Short mmCIF file of all heavy atoms in Angstrom, two decimals:
data_model
loop_
_atom_site.label_atom_id
_atom_site.label_comp_id
_atom_site.label_asym_id
_atom_site.label_seq_id
_atom_site.Cartn_x
_atom_site.Cartn_y
_atom_site.Cartn_z
N ILE J 84 2.10 4.98 -9.30
CA ILE J 84 1.65 6.18 -8.60
C ILE J 84 2.39 7.45 -9.02
O ILE J 84 1.82 8.52 -9.07
CB ILE J 84 1.71 5.98 -7.06
CG1 ILE J 84 0.83 6.99 -6.34
CG2 ILE J 84 3.11 6.03 -6.51
CD1 ILE J 84 -0.41 6.41 -5.79
N ARG J 85 3.71 7.31 -9.31
CA ARG J 85 4.47 8.48 -9.75
C ARG J 85 5.40 8.06 -10.88
O ARG J 85 5.67 6.88 -11.05
CB ARG J 85 5.33 9.05 -8.59
CG ARG J 85 4.53 9.91 -7.63
CD ARG J 85 5.35 10.27 -6.42
NE ARG J 85 5.61 9.08 -5.63
CZ ARG J 85 4.78 8.58 -4.72
NH1 ARG J 85 3.65 9.20 -4.46
NH2 ARG J 85 5.06 7.47 -4.07
N TYR J 198 -5.26 14.03 -8.86
CA TYR J 198 -3.88 13.68 -9.21
C TYR J 198 -3.67 12.17 -9.27
O TYR J 198 -2.64 11.69 -9.70
CB TYR J 198 -2.90 14.26 -8.16
CG TYR J 198 -3.29 13.89 -6.74
CD1 TYR J 198 -2.98 12.66 -6.20
CD2 TYR J 198 -4.02 14.79 -5.96
CE1 TYR J 198 -3.39 12.31 -4.92
CE2 TYR J 198 -4.43 14.45 -4.69
CZ TYR J 198 -4.12 13.21 -4.18
OH TYR J 198 -4.53 12.85 -2.92
N CYS J 199 -4.64 11.39 -8.82
CA CYS J 199 -4.35 10.00 -8.44
C CYS J 199 -4.80 8.97 -9.48
O CYS J 199 -5.92 9.00 -9.98
CB CYS J 199 -5.02 9.70 -7.10
SG CYS J 199 -4.53 8.10 -6.48
N ILE J 200 -3.93 8.03 -9.74
CA ILE J 200 -4.20 7.02 -10.76
C ILE J 200 -4.89 5.78 -10.18
O ILE J 200 -5.43 4.95 -10.92
CB ILE J 200 -2.86 6.64 -11.46
CG1 ILE J 200 -3.15 5.89 -12.76
CG2 ILE J 200 -1.97 5.80 -10.57
CD1 ILE J 200 -2.17 6.13 -13.84
N PRO J 297 -3.45 11.27 5.42
CA PRO J 297 -2.88 12.11 4.37
C PRO J 297 -3.50 13.52 4.33
O PRO J 297 -4.71 13.67 4.32
CB PRO J 297 -3.20 11.34 3.08
CG PRO J 297 -3.26 9.91 3.52
CD PRO J 297 -3.92 9.97 4.88
N GLN J 299 -2.03 16.03 2.07
CA GLN J 299 -1.78 16.37 0.64
C GLN J 299 -1.43 17.85 0.45
O GLN J 299 -0.44 18.15 -0.19
CB GLN J 299 -2.93 15.98 -0.29
CG GLN J 299 -3.45 14.55 -0.16
CD GLN J 299 -2.42 13.44 -0.36
OE1 GLN J 299 -1.24 13.70 -0.53
NE2 GLN J 299 -2.86 12.19 -0.29
N ASP J 337 0.81 12.19 4.31
CA ASP J 337 1.38 12.29 2.96
C ASP J 337 1.16 13.72 2.48
O ASP J 337 0.07 14.27 2.68
CB ASP J 337 0.62 11.39 1.96
CG ASP J 337 0.86 9.90 2.17
OD1 ASP J 337 1.84 9.53 2.82
OD2 ASP J 337 0.03 9.12 1.65
N ILE J 338 2.18 14.29 1.87
CA ILE J 338 2.04 15.66 1.34
C ILE J 338 2.61 15.71 -0.07
O ILE J 338 3.68 15.16 -0.35
CB ILE J 338 2.78 16.68 2.24
CG1 ILE J 338 2.15 16.70 3.64
CG2 ILE J 338 2.77 18.08 1.62
CD1 ILE J 338 2.91 17.51 4.67
N ILE J 339 1.87 16.38 -0.96
CA ILE J 339 2.35 16.59 -2.33
C ILE J 339 2.72 18.07 -2.48
O ILE J 339 1.90 18.94 -2.14
CB ILE J 339 1.25 16.25 -3.36
CG1 ILE J 339 0.86 14.77 -3.26
CG2 ILE J 339 1.70 16.59 -4.77
CD1 ILE J 339 -0.31 14.36 -4.17
N PHE J 368 6.13 14.20 -1.48
CA PHE J 368 6.33 13.92 -2.91
C PHE J 368 6.20 15.20 -3.71
O PHE J 368 5.46 16.10 -3.34
CB PHE J 368 5.25 12.96 -3.43
CG PHE J 368 5.00 11.78 -2.55
CD1 PHE J 368 3.92 11.78 -1.66
CD2 PHE J 368 5.84 10.69 -2.57
CE1 PHE J 368 3.68 10.68 -0.84
CE2 PHE J 368 5.61 9.59 -1.75
CZ PHE J 368 4.53 9.58 -0.88
N ILE J 369 6.90 15.21 -4.87
CA ILE J 369 6.64 16.26 -5.86
C ILE J 369 5.54 15.72 -6.77
O ILE J 369 5.57 14.55 -7.16
CB ILE J 369 7.92 16.58 -6.67
CG1 ILE J 369 8.94 17.25 -5.75
CG2 ILE J 369 7.58 17.45 -7.88
CD1 ILE J 369 10.23 17.65 -6.43
N PHE J 370 4.58 16.57 -7.09
CA PHE J 370 3.47 16.16 -7.96
C PHE J 370 4.01 15.56 -9.26
O PHE J 370 4.93 16.08 -9.88
CB PHE J 370 2.59 17.37 -8.29
CG PHE J 370 1.63 17.10 -9.41
CD1 PHE J 370 0.52 16.29 -9.20
CD2 PHE J 370 1.85 17.64 -10.68
CE1 PHE J 370 -0.36 16.02 -10.25
CE2 PHE J 370 0.97 17.38 -11.72
CZ PHE J 370 -0.13 16.56 -11.50
N SER J 371 3.42 14.45 -9.64
CA SER J 371 3.83 13.76 -10.86
C SER J 371 2.59 13.54 -11.72
O SER J 371 1.65 12.86 -11.29
CB SER J 371 4.47 12.43 -10.43
OG SER J 371 4.68 11.59 -11.51
N PRO J 372 2.54 14.15 -12.90
CA PRO J 372 1.32 14.02 -13.71
C PRO J 372 1.12 12.59 -14.21
O PRO J 372 2.06 11.99 -14.74
CB PRO J 372 1.57 14.96 -14.90
CG PRO J 372 2.97 15.41 -14.81
CD PRO J 372 3.58 14.97 -13.53
N ARG J 373 -0.07 12.03 -14.02
CA ARG J 373 -0.35 10.66 -14.47
C ARG J 373 -1.36 10.71 -15.61
O ARG J 373 -2.44 11.30 -15.45
CB ARG J 373 -0.93 9.79 -13.33
CG ARG J 373 -0.21 9.80 -12.02
CD ARG J 373 1.30 9.62 -12.07
NE ARG J 373 1.79 8.39 -12.67
CZ ARG J 373 2.76 8.35 -13.58
NH1 ARG J 373 3.32 9.46 -14.02
NH2 ARG J 373 3.17 7.22 -14.05
N1 5AD L 1 2.06 12.71 -7.74
C1 5AD L 1 2.70 12.75 -6.54
N2 5AD L 1 2.30 12.09 -5.47
C2 5AD L 1 1.18 11.34 -5.58
N3 5AD L 1 0.53 10.59 -4.68
C3 5AD L 1 -0.53 10.02 -5.29
N4 5AD L 1 -0.59 10.41 -6.57
C4 5AD L 1 0.46 11.24 -6.77
C5 5AD L 1 0.94 11.98 -7.89
N5 5AD L 1 0.31 11.94 -9.06
C6 5AD L 1 0.93 10.48 -3.28
C7 5AD L 1 -0.17 10.94 -2.35
C8 5AD L 1 -0.70 9.65 -1.78
C9 5AD L 1 0.54 8.80 -1.77
C10 5AD L 1 0.29 7.34 -1.68
O1 5AD L 1 1.17 9.11 -2.98
O2 5AD L 1 0.41 11.74 -1.34
O3 5AD L 1 -1.27 9.80 -0.50
#
Side-chain angles (χ1 to χ4, degrees):
I84 200 107
R85 281 171 293 275
Y198 52 81
C199 188
I200 195 147
Q299 311 302 5
D337 289 341
I338 297 172
I339 298 175
F368 314 99
I369 291 181
F370 167 73
S371 169
R373 311 313 300 132

